[in-house]
Amino acid sequence: MMSRHRAERPIVATREMVRRRRRRRALAVLVLLAMVLAGVVWATWRHIDEQEYLLDARCEVQVGGELHVLTPHQSANAALVAALAVDRGLPREAAADALAISLQESDLQVLEATDEYDARELFRSGSPSWSDDDGPVEVASSVEGFYDALESARDHEDDPWTPELSVSEAADVLERPMDPSFYSRHAERGRAFAAPLTGAQPIGMTCRLTRKDAPNPDPDGLAHEVAGVLGTALEVPDDAQEALEALGSEDEDEGADEDEGADEDARDELEEFGPILIDRSAAAGDDADGAGPEAGTVVTVSMPGGDEDDEQADTTRELWTLAHWAVATADVYGTQTVHAGAFEWSRDSGRWSRVEEISDDAVVIGF
């Protein structure tokens, strides 16, 4: 008889079983390694994001497949050059020529410090070697001086400046101090930045700036500069200009004894005059966060409007000129957001994003 308790047979592992076990172990190891690697990558990128080690602070314009780039400092100067062209009613090509010429002559860097925004020297001065004149030719070095020379050249009978000229031809007509052929290497970048900075291309330029080391908010300085560079285009009244100039002189005299009452009067006057309104009510309580008393302040700049099509076109141009100027100078005045039309630029994201609220008649600048 066969015993009830049969001896259990040993389990013999086949090759297929061994392969399955090895595959399961390998898969488990791979999953574990992937989880560890994902954790390391996440922690690394978070650290990089917080410290901004890899941030390449810059402003950029995409034209077709080519990306044109300026540093924040260059962009602020480019915005000044373009805004003054708009304020004078000059065509976009004038700003494009000015930007290309400045890139060649100064790399869009201030050659000599000055307190006057329109007198900042972004152009070389000198006398062209190819001139046939007996005496030296005076070449404008300031922004306003450059445009004075350009407007004067428009009236030349024999060889006038026109928007149709190439940059090299414009440099020749304007008697710039370098060989005219040198300027053509900057023509594309000049045109690329001139389009958004003169308001011809909405949301055409964006800036990626540091968040950790952002400058202290300066809404008064920004309002003063807006009235200076776009006062005519925005129809800023003289009384508001005077209030803004008082605030500007206050900044220049930093460290001297100041009449706080006079400063407050200047601010009160400024807030009563359109089109520039500084709203500090939004900043209440923000000082506790360590961001300073101006953090949270909003500067609203209203656009002059009209019912005619050409006036509406001018309003749109001025709106986006100011919006891009505010973005380009964000590293000067500590700007955090710029809202124009249906879009808002944010320092945190470094790009324009569509928003629900539409602002077609004003640019709202947040600190």
Side-chain angles (χ1 to χ4, degrees):
M1 280 180 70
M2 186 177 293
S3 172
R4 294 183 186 177
H5 304 288
R6 298 189 333 188
E8 295 184 1
R9 294 181 180 178
I11 298 175
V12 179
T14 64
R15 289 184 179 178
E16 185 61 29
M17 294 173 62
V18 172
R19 289 182 185 143
R20 284 199 295 265
R21 287 174 185 171
R22 287 177 179 173
R23 284 198 293 265
R24 285 197 293 267
R25 290 195 194 103
L27 182 60
V29 171
L30 288 175
V31 170
L32 180 60
L33 287 175
M35 293 174 63
V36 171
L37 182 61
V40 170
V41 170
W42 178 84
T44 301
W45 277 107
R46 175 154 186 184
H47 181 71
I48 290 173
D49 182 62
E50 290 175 352
Q51 302 300 321
E52 297 185 335
Y53 287 145
L54 299 183
L55 177 64
D56 180 17
R58 62 185 186 178
C59 297
E60 53 192 35
V61 175
Q62 184 83 36
V63 179
E66 188 169 359
L67 186 67
H68 300 274
V69 177
L70 292 175
T71 68
H73 181 68
Q74 288 176 312
S75 300
N77 290 329
L80 167 68
V81 171
L84 288 175
V86 172
D87 202 51
R88 283 174 171 249
L90 293 171
R92 177 177 62 180
E93 291 79 6
D97 286 349
L99 290 175
I101 289 172
S102 180
L103 280 166
Q104 172 62 34
E105 295 180 359
S106 71
D107 198 29
L108 269 174
Q109 309 283 342
V110 176
L111 297 173
E112 184 174 339
T114 174
D115 295 330
E116 295 296 326
Y117 57 86
D118 55 357
R120 292 174 190 158
E121 295 193 355
L122 296 171
F123 302 88
R124 292 282 178 190
S125 59
S127 54
S129 59
W130 61 88
S131 174
D132 294 329
D133 294 346
D134 295 333
V137 178
E138 294 296 329
V139 180
S141 57
S142 69
V143 180
E144 286 285 18
F146 176 87
Y147 285 133
D148 285 343
L150 185 143
E151 289 186 317
S152 177
R154 284 201 300 183
D155 299 329
H156 288 176
E157 293 183 2
D158 298 331
D159 200 12
W161 178 89
T162 66
E164 292 74 29
L165 294 178
S166 68
V167 172
S168 297
E169 292 169 335
D172 192 12
V173 167
L174 297 174
E175 298 185 312
R176 301 311 305 168
M178 296 183 180
D179 188 308
S181 62
F182 292 168
Y183 297 95
S184 60
R185 69 186 73 176
H186 305 287
E188 290 187 10
R189 189 155 51 145
R191 287 193 297 268
F193 276 90
L197 289 174
T198 59
Q201 183 182 359
I203 64 170
M205 184 200 74
T206 190
C207 295
R208 298 193 305 159
L209 307 172
T210 176
R211 303 190 303 273
K212 185 178 179 182
D213 298 322
N216 291 329
D218 184 12
D220 289 327
L222 179 139
H224 174 256
E225 188 86 343
V226 168
V229 299
L230 287 167
T232 301
L234 299 177
E235 300 178 4
V236 178
D238 293 339
D239 38 19
Q241 291 266 24
E242 293 172 2
L244 288 162
E245 289 173 4
L247 292 174
S249 62
E250 169 195 336
D251 295 335
E252 294 171 10
D253 297 335
E254 185 177 356
D257 293 335
E258 298 174 353
D259 185 346
E260 294 184 3
D263 296 342
E264 289 300 323
D265 290 342
R267 287 190 173 91
D268 291 341
E269 288 179 18
L270 173 59
E271 293 179 2
E272 292 176 4
F273 295 118
I276 301 173
L277 174 65
I278 301 179
D279 181 11
R280 290 184 171 81
S281 62
D286 283 353
D287 193 27
D289 298 333
E294 300 290 1
T297 298
V298 174
V299 176
T300 302
V301 184
S302 299
M303 301 294 112
D307 297 330
E308 300 295 332
D309 290 342
D310 56 346
E311 292 177 340
Q312 290 178 351
D314 288 342
T315 297
T316 300
R317 182 189 188 198
E318 290 150 3
L319 180 90
W320 285 105
T321 295
L322 176 58
H324 284 114
W325 178 90
V327 172
T329 59
D331 241 16
V332 178
Y333 301 106
T335 304
Q336 294 294 323
T337 60
V338 178
H339 181 194
F343 297 90
E344 183 174 272
W345 173 87
S346 168
R347 177 186 283 267
D348 288 340
S349 66
R351 63 177 182 268
W352 291 95
S353 301
R354 184 177 289 275
V355 292
E356 293 184 2
E357 185 177 354
I358 297 177
S359 178
D360 284 334
D361 58 356
V363 175
V364 182
I365 304 166
F367 292 86

